[in-house]
Amino acid sequence: MKSLWKKLAFAAAVIGASFGARAEGSDAPKPLPQREKVIVAMTAKVEAYIPMLLADRMGEFDKENIDIEYTFAKSSDGIVLLSTGRADVLGGQPSAAIFNAIASGADIRVVAPLFVQSPGSKQGIWANNAFLNGRKFTVDLFKDQTVASAIGLGSTASYFLQTELEKVGLSLKDVKFQTMASADILVALENGAVNFGYLIDSIWQKADESKVSLAFVQGTEMSAGSWSFGPRLLKERRDVGEAVMRALVRTTRTYLQGDYHANPAVMKIMLEELQLPEETLKKGVSLTFDPNLYMPADLAARLQKTYALIPEVLSYSELMPEDRVVDQGFIAAAGIPIPAK
């Protein structure tokens, strides 16, 4: 299947002339009448979240009369913070826990993607070299193995793994998942505590490739994460949510297209915010950020079908429709035309 993102990029180029003026005007700052604080929950400061960090440092939120406050929590705790209104924005994944929260009545919606896998990135599942013992990696080696990831079975990583397993007649039922912090996964892989683990950008760059090897990279047809809004921005103060989105759109279009690692101003902020050695960042590749912040088509359907493969991952049986999970109204308010279904 051709990458949806390539199709969307082509479509954006075609319609760019007709919508360009509208988009430029609509994503321009429209300062809120009074200063507003927006609380953003993240698991940690990693490059996937750089649009938010950069928008803050580059003054794009200031133009909207917004102050950003960060809170850091593991993924499950972040969902609780978001659903209870103690956070306004959550950076993470459209995980099974997000779907379960929405199904139970939480006012949460996925509003924009984080990034798409870049061709040069090695984000994906890695293998312990001692386990391979000189063998070339093949997908059938996953059978009865444990895969370490930050979220576990109900994550977008399981979607990509299921896609690979299907090629050899296996499924997620044939593997086990162990949840651990992203940095700990690399340690566990290198010392052989697990044979397979999902390494994200800014973590795989630190890998000792004498001890671990890339098994396969994450595909490009699904966003590697998402921004989600909670009840305040969805309902009570949708104007604030629209202002947040305008700032993210402007930042993504202005600073994060192409090889932004080559931009000294962006790199300086990344070094300060991510607290990584310069050589580590330079070893990595610039991520791909969609300038229109389109969510993949049928995201809810594809992920729910994957999560539903294993009993009890989802807390409900009837799959939810797309608009119960994704709200594209915020990018529409930033002047971005919503692609036809």
Side-chain angles (χ1 to χ4, degrees), residues 50-337:
I50 199 62
M52 184 71 67
L53 301 170
L54 201 58
D56 193 8
R57 291 288 300 272
M58 289 294 191
E60 295 298 340
F61 285 120
D62 191 54
K63 294 174 185 176
E64 301 286 356
N65 215 8
I66 289 175
D67 290 318
I68 297 294
E69 179 180 307
Y70 300 102
T71 184
F72 299 95
K74 62 182 182 181
S75 179
S76 57
D77 292 341
I79 294 170
V80 173
L81 293 175
L82 188 67
S83 62
T84 57
R86 288 176 286 168
D88 301 305
V89 181
L90 176 65
Q93 292 190 22
S95 64
I98 287 278
F99 284 93
N100 288 336
I102 294 172
S104 68
D107 285 326
I108 296 174
R109 295 293 183 275
V110 175
V111 297
L114 290 181
F115 66 96
V116 187
Q117 184 89 339
S118 300
S121 173
K122 294 182 181 179
Q123 175 163 295
I125 294 183
W126 289 61
N128 172 268
N129 286 345
F131 166 74
L132 292 178
N133 193 26
R135 293 174 294 180
K136 182 179 179 181
F137 168 77
T138 54
V139 180
D140 60 285
L141 291 175
F142 278 116
K143 186 172 176 58
D144 299 325
Q145 290 296 315
T146 295
V147 179
S149 79
I151 295 179
L153 180 60
S155 69
T156 53
S158 59
Y159 171 84
F160 295 109
L161 179 55
Q162 173 63 20
T163 301
E164 293 297 314
L165 290 171
E166 287 176 348
K167 296 176 182 177
V168 295
L170 298 176
S171 77
L172 293 174
K173 297 177 182 179
D174 296 299
V175 299
K176 298 177 182 178
F177 278 82
Q178 182 174 346
T179 304
M180 61 180 69
S182 295
D184 293 339
I185 295 171
L186 176 57
V187 175
L189 267 176
E190 289 183 340
N191 66 25
V194 293
N195 292 327
F196 292 102
Y198 183 77
L199 299 183
I200 62 172
D201 284 292
S202 78
I203 299 296
W204 66 259
Q205 289 95 324
K206 303 175 184 178
D208 181 346
E209 296 194 34
S210 70
K211 298 179 180 179
V212 294
S213 301
L214 177 66
F216 68 87
V217 297
Q218 180 171 288
T220 58
E221 72 275 13
M222 180 70 69
S223 170
S226 60
W227 297 111
S228 297
F229 284 177
R232 177 169 171 254
L233 302 192
L234 288 173
K235 293 183 176 179
E236 301 162 26
R237 294 300 306 275
R238 198 168 176 96
D239 60 328
V240 177
E242 291 173 354
V244 169
M245 188 61 67
R246 286 194 299 271
L248 288 175
V249 169
R250 289 195 305 274
T251 301
T252 300
R253 289 176 167 177
T254 304
Y255 302 107
L256 296 173
Q257 298 306 297
D259 184 15
Y260 58 85
H261 279 197
N263 183 326
V266 172
M267 182 61 79
K268 179 177 184 294
I269 291 174
M270 288 175 61
L271 288 169
E272 293 171 356
E273 292 291 340
L274 305 185
Q275 293 293 297
L276 290 172
E278 187 170 0
E279 58 270 21
T280 298
L281 276 178
K282 287 184 175 179
K283 183 179 177 182
V285 295
S286 295
L287 306 180
T288 299
F289 292 97
D290 178 14
N292 290 321
L293 275 68
Y294 285 141
M295 292 305 302
D298 301 323
L299 173 136
R302 287 192 278 170
L303 289 180
Q304 287 179 100
K305 288 176 181 177
T306 298
Y307 301 153
L309 288 171
I310 304 297
E312 300 182 1
V313 170
L314 293 180
S315 61
Y316 56 96
S317 56
E318 186 174 343
L319 302 189
M320 293 184 290
E322 203 78 13
D323 60 6
R324 180 90 182 274
V325 178
V326 179
D327 186 338
Q328 296 192 97
F330 293 95
I331 64 167
I336 296 172

